[in-house]
Structures are given as C-alpha cells and as structure tokens.
Amino acid sequence: MDTKYHSQMLPMQTSNYERLCEPGKRPMNPQELRKASTSPLRDHILWSLFNLFYCNPCCLGFIALYYSIKARDRKVLGDLEAAQEYGSKARSFNIAALCITLVILLIFIMILCVLFSTATRMYKEIKIQENGGQKYNPFIPGSD
C-alpha cells in the first residue's frame, strides 16, 4: 500500500491577477485595491440615536434617525450612491441638532449664572438692611 502523497501542479488562473495589475505599473495588492476602491459608508445610526434621546430640538434627532435607517437599508440593498446621500443627510441633521442643543445649553448656563449672582447680591443687600446698614462681619459674633 502506497501512503505517499504525490504533489501535483495545478495551473493558476491569471484573470484575477490581470485585473489587479495596471499596465505599466506594479501589480496592486488586493487589500490596497479594496481600500482604494471603496470608502466605508457611514450611516451615523448611533449618533442619531443619541441625538434622538438627548438632543432633539425641533425633532432634528428624529429626522436624522430616519435618514440613518434609510442609509443602512440602501447599503444592505447595494445602492451605494443613495446610501451615501442618505448618510450625508443624516450627518447634517445630527450636526444641526447637536449645535442647536449646545447653544441652548450655553444660554441656559449663562442665565443660571446671572440668576445666581443676582440672588447673592440681593441676599447681601437684605442682610445689610437687617443689620441697620452695617455690613456683615464674620468675626463679630451676632453681626449676622
């Protein structure tokens, strides 16, 4: 019984290799070809969900989520141009929702600071009036 394995020469198909080569240039690596030919399509679904739950002025987070889902559906169906278009719309709505929310948050913080400083000023004036025009001195007992 012969248990030795005989090596056989199989002809290689050159059609894939010829497609990867450009005339007059070095052959391209298949990984380089994939990187150069397709850019990753982003649907921004997580960002849209965040904006839907936390930053949703004028329902912009909901609209961004809608376009993100449409981009993902188009990517699954293979319509890459529509997926890119819907993904860019989702990105734009996400940016708008985030900017509007940040502006509203900054205005709210400024209003709180103004209210707090006004309240402390009024408290100090009331304390001065209660003491008969004398300012509060923490080192004199009973002057508060």
Side-chain angles (χ1 to χ4, degrees):
M1 189 177 345
D2 189 14
T3 59
K4 292 182 182 180
Y5 294 103
H6 298 287
S7 64
Q8 295 179 357
M9 295 291 289
L10 298 174
M12 295 186 65
Q13 296 177 351
T14 59
S15 61
N16 289 338
Y17 180 74
E18 289 172 357
R19 278 188 274 164
L20 296 178
C21 294
E22 292 181 18
K25 294 186 178 181
R26 67 175 181 83
M28 291 183 67
N29 188 1
Q31 292 175 346
E32 290 176 5
L33 183 65
R34 268 187 249 125
K35 288 179 185 175
S37 65
T38 60
S39 62
L41 295 174
R42 313 260 334 242
D43 54 12
H44 307 287
I45 193 102
L46 292 176
W47 191 10
S48 299
L49 284 171
F50 173 80
N51 282 339
L52 176 67
F53 291 120
Y54 297 110
C55 313
N56 198 13
C58 305
C59 294
L60 289 176
F62 179 72
I63 296 170
L65 181 64
Y66 171 77
Y67 281 115
S68 295
I69 293 171
K70 293 280 281 185
R72 182 165 284 190
D73 289 344
R74 292 295 164 190
K75 186 166 60 171
V76 168
L77 291 175
D79 188 4
L80 299 181
E81 291 177 11
Q84 182 72 31
E85 182 181 338
Y86 286 130
S88 67
K89 284 183 182 180
R91 180 175 174 251
S92 299
F93 281 115
N94 280 324
I95 289 171
L98 189 63
C99 289
I100 291 172
T101 302
L102 288 176
V103 167
I104 290 172
L105 184 66
L106 287 174
I107 290 171
F108 182 72
I109 289 172
M110 290 186 334
I111 289 173
L112 282 178
C113 290
V114 168
L115 288 176
F116 182 72
S117 65
T118 304
T120 55
R121 189 179 317 122
M122 288 176 61
Y123 178 75
K124 288 179 182 179
E125 289 176 4
I126 291 172
K127 281 295 189 180
I128 290 172
Q129 289 176 357
E130 285 178 355
N131 290 334
Q134 296 178 358
K135 291 188 177 179
Y136 170 71
N137 190 347
F139 298 109
I140 301 175
S143 67
D144 52 324

